[in-house]
Amino acid sequence: DKIVVRIVLRTDRNMEFVHMKDLRASGFEPIDVLSGYHYRDGLGYYQSTRDAATHFFFNYLPKGTWVFEYALRVFQKGSYNNGFTQIECMYAPEFSARSQSEYVKVK
């Protein structure tokens, strides 16, 4: 099965040098494993896929609502904790946010 992860990010101010990390459950593997620079909807960012998470790096993140998506493949049955998504301004760590973790059951 194929799952699409959708992250909706709302910012109320312009920010620079931002890192967003989305942790992945152990029963899923990313389909697009190549790291690279992406440009979508007027926003440029670098996306890097690692063993346990997908990382997004922004030089400049304007205020507004942004949607990020990437695909995963399910490869094993079981119950998994999907982890959380965390975003942080690298030079001003007081500007940060974190989502809830979710449980996923694959039958």
Side-chain angles (χ1 to χ4, degrees):
D1 289 338
K2 181 179 172 182
I3 294 176
V4 176
V5 175
R6 179 177 291 136
I7 303 167
V8 179
L9 174 62
R10 292 180 185 89
T11 60
D12 61 351
R13 64 192 73 203
N14 298 331
M15 293 189 283
E16 293 180 334
F17 305 109
V18 177
H19 172 233
M20 181 170 64
K21 173 175 62 173
D22 183 43
L23 295 174
R24 182 174 47 256
S26 61
F28 303 104
E29 286 295 324
I31 293 175
D32 184 19
V33 295
L34 297 177
S35 299
Y37 195 80
H38 298 275
Y39 187 80
R40 292 190 188 121
D41 299 328
L43 179 67
Y45 60 93
Y46 187 82
Q47 181 176 340
S48 174
T49 302
R50 297 288 176 227
D51 289 337
T54 300
H55 300 269
F56 300 86
F57 298 94
F58 309 93
N59 287 336
Y60 178 72
L61 183 63
K63 68 178 178 178
T65 302
W66 303 99
V67 178
F68 305 95
E69 292 183 347
Y70 64 94
L72 300 175
R73 180 93 42 209
V74 178
F75 74 91
Q76 190 170 350
K77 296 179 185 179
S79 297
Y80 304 102
N81 183 358
N82 194 38
F84 56 87
T85 302
Q86 179 180 4
I87 187 165
E88 180 178 40
C89 191
M90 299 306 290
Y91 293 111
E94 62 271 13
F95 296 108
S96 64
R98 186 174 144 172
S99 71
Q100 289 182 331
S101 62
E102 298 286 334
Y103 284 99
V104 179
K105 186 170 187 175
V106 179
K107 295 181 181 181

